[in-house]
Amino acid sequence: MAGVRLVGVRKIYEERGHTQVAVHGLDLDVADGEFVVLVGPSGCGKSTTLRMIAGLESISGGQAFIGERLVNDTPAKDRDIAMVFQNYALYPHMTAYENLAFALTLKKMGKAEIDRRVREAADMLGIAALLNRRPRQMSGGERQRVALGRALVRHPQVFLFDEPLSNLDAKLRVQMRREIARLHRQLRTTMIYVTHDQVEAMTLGDRIVVLSRGEVQQVDTPTAVYQYPRNTFVAGFIGTPPMNLIEGRLVHEHGLRFEAQAGDLSVPLDSTRDEPALERLGRVILGIRPEDLRPVQPGQGRAFELTGKVDLVEVLGGEVLVHLSFGGGELTGRFAAPPIPQVGSELRFSIPPDRIHLFDGESGQRLP
Ligand code: ADP
Ligand code: MG
């Protein structure tokens, strides 16, 4: 087994005289046995990064290591990695058994060892009964298991996954996600997994790497990324519905307060904040997660509360998403249900100061 280390890895595509930087100097250290998820919107460079690790794409700059080995110029077949793609890429004319055995046959492995590995992988994935079927005789989920099996039989040092579940329906995706997590617990092989789905990233990764426009925004455990997003991009990308981000400024008025640019929203801030540092700042962005808005029950007066008009209510079952407007501004809250607020009614809520995130209005970086 081996870890993966990227040092200042870059990818530049040249197309008809036009150059495009797809990945800017990316640093990443994936420990041996770790499960790391690269997550970000479409086009941010996830697949390119993974393909450079796999050796399917040349590296324009920087260094890639698998274990202690520099692999920049190592052909894909000699990197000892296995990759699973979104489109299963199975051989249509081969049975599941033959699909699983194919790479091992190419390596001239003995028949008995191939058979042992194929059956071991098939057992692990619950597809032993399907080994004689061809891809078109299988469901999407079954095909994706065979695609996973094809990676498993190789006993690689590192598994790479590029959005392997995107073609599956929602229920199957959740089921396969759990199976991949279970496989990782069982095998303890290094896994690097690419997805645009932040729920997949949060639930699978020991650590997640948030990418935007070919640059790393944050690398940390899912919990830390959620609780302490390093900038407004991460704050808005991780979490559904996303964190409310409101532009405004800081003022001194009975202590430190935030005043929104649009609408009449004025929020007291924690007195423990580093005031001198904040005082020097002009524009700031206040962030508050939907679940951190607290409805105030009648008769339960708070020292500080806000009133918003209920514009839209989305009932999720045990929870409701409530879109509130106040003057020219808007906020989304996520509340336990019942009660289900009435559209058009006024809703009183508070914002706990210790749940407020502040970001620099210019750079978008998190403030202390
Ligand atoms: P993701 O997997 O995060 O959706 P990609 O890594 O596929 O993103 O792409 C990153 C950027 O590189 C995109 O802007 C994409 O258009 C560009 N790109 C990807 N592959 C090529 C290529 N073969 N030639 C030119 N540009 C490419
Ligand atoms: Mg991709």
Side-chain angles (χ1 to χ4, degrees):
M1 299 223 291
V4 173
R5 192 155 57 92
L6 303 181
V7 185
V9 163
R10 287 163 61 77
K11 179 65 191 184
I12 299 167
Y13 285 113
E14 310 264 0
E15 234 183 334
R16 287 179 243 105
H18 171 82
T19 58
Q20 194 205 347
V21 185
V23 177
H24 301 259
L26 195 145
D27 295 316
L28 180 64
D29 207 340
V30 180
D32 187 7
E34 196 179 15
F35 197 137
V36 165
V37 180
L38 308 184
V39 65
S42 178
C44 71
K46 305 181 295 293
S47 295
T48 302
T49 303
L50 207 66
R51 292 170 63 82
M52 284 192 285
I53 299 170
L56 301 174
E57 203 71 74
S58 66
I59 296 172
S60 313
Q63 296 172 307
F65 296 88
I66 296 176
E68 297 302 311
R69 199 155 61 110
L70 178 69
V71 296
N72 284 45
D73 300 315
T74 309
K77 65 176 176 47
D78 299 329
R79 292 196 188 189
D80 203 4
I81 51 101
M83 190 151 166
V84 182
F85 300 90
Q86 172 179 350
N87 56 352
Y88 326 113
L90 300 179
Y91 299 107
H93 57 285
M94 292 186 191
T95 63
Y97 187 103
E98 289 162 345
N99 266 286
L100 291 183
F102 187 67
L104 306 182
T105 312
L106 283 186
K107 282 195 195 172
K108 309 216 182 326
M109 191 179 277
K111 273 222 162 63
E113 176 61 9
I114 293 179
D115 191 64
R116 197 187 65 72
R117 288 200 185 190
V118 167
R119 294 193 187 282
E120 175 196 58
D123 281 342
M124 242 185 240
L125 294 163
I127 52 170
L130 307 175
L131 288 175
N132 291 323
R133 292 205 202 158
R134 288 181 210 286
R136 68 180 156 73
Q137 299 167 304
M138 292 184 270
S139 69
E142 288 165 348
R143 275 180 229 156
Q144 192 50 283
R145 276 168 213 265
V146 175
L148 277 175
R150 232 170 21 165
L152 284 185
V153 295
R154 298 175 56 185
H155 296 182
Q157 301 227 47
V158 180
F159 285 100
L160 304 177
F161 299 92
D162 192 351
E163 313 235 14
L165 308 184
S166 299
N167 281 351
L168 305 178
D169 66 51
K171 198 171 164 191
L172 203 51
R173 212 154 59 214
V174 173
Q175 190 186 336
M176 289 300 289
R177 188 173 88 202
R178 293 189 180 141
E179 295 209 16
I180 290 173
R182 183 180 54 78
L183 280 176
H184 180 251
R185 278 198 305 276
Q186 209 171 332
L187 300 169
R188 283 287 152 205
T189 306
T190 310
M191 294 187 176
I192 306 180
Y193 187 105
V194 158
T195 179
H196 66 277
D197 178 340
Q198 45 102 17
V199 177
E200 254 175 41
M202 293 291 284
T203 51
L204 280 173
D206 294 324
R207 285 189 304 156
I208 64 181
V209 178
V210 184
L211 285 174
S212 169
R213 296 160 188 261
E215 289 186 78
V216 173
Q217 305 296 311
Q218 188 165 4
V219 184
D220 217 325
T221 61
T223 314
V225 169
Y226 192 80
Q227 291 183 341
Y228 307 103
R230 227 178 70 188
N231 58 38
T232 47
F233 176 84
V234 179
F237 188 75
I238 300 289
T240 39
M243 183 186 285
N244 296 289
L245 294 171
I246 307 159
E247 291 187 28
R249 63 195 181 104
L250 297 176
V251 294
H252 269 281
E253 213 182 277
H254 318 291
L256 195 63
R257 300 179 75 86
F258 169 87
E259 275 192 357
Q261 198 174 302
D264 46 2
L265 182 76
S266 173
V267 185
L269 298 176
D270 216 327
S271 56
T272 60
R273 283 192 186 272
D274 181 5
E275 286 200 35
L278 293 173
E279 264 178 88
R280 275 184 265 118
L281 290 158
R283 281 199 319 124
V284 294
I285 294 169
L286 178 142
I288 181 81
R289 293 220 179 264
E291 67 268 30
D292 290 333
L293 297 188
R294 301 283 150 76
V296 176
Q297 306 308 333
Q300 192 195 31
R302 292 277 178 96
F304 158 70
E305 61 180 56
L306 294 160
T307 303
K309 186 166 140 295
V310 177
D311 283 340
L312 176 71
V313 176
E314 294 172 282
V315 182
L316 303 178
E319 288 183 322
V320 281
L321 300 181
V322 181
H323 301 273
L324 297 159
S325 61
F326 49 93
E330 285 177 5
L331 280 175
T332 301
R334 180 180 194 138
F335 307 132
I340 295 173
Q342 288 279 320
V343 173
S345 69
E346 304 254 286
L347 191 128
R348 290 157 63 213
F349 63 97
S350 68
I351 297 181
D354 63 342
R355 295 292 176 169
I356 289 173
H357 307 252
L358 282 183
F359 303 94
D360 185 314
E362 307 296 331
S363 67
Q365 294 300 306
R366 183 181 191 86
L367 296 172

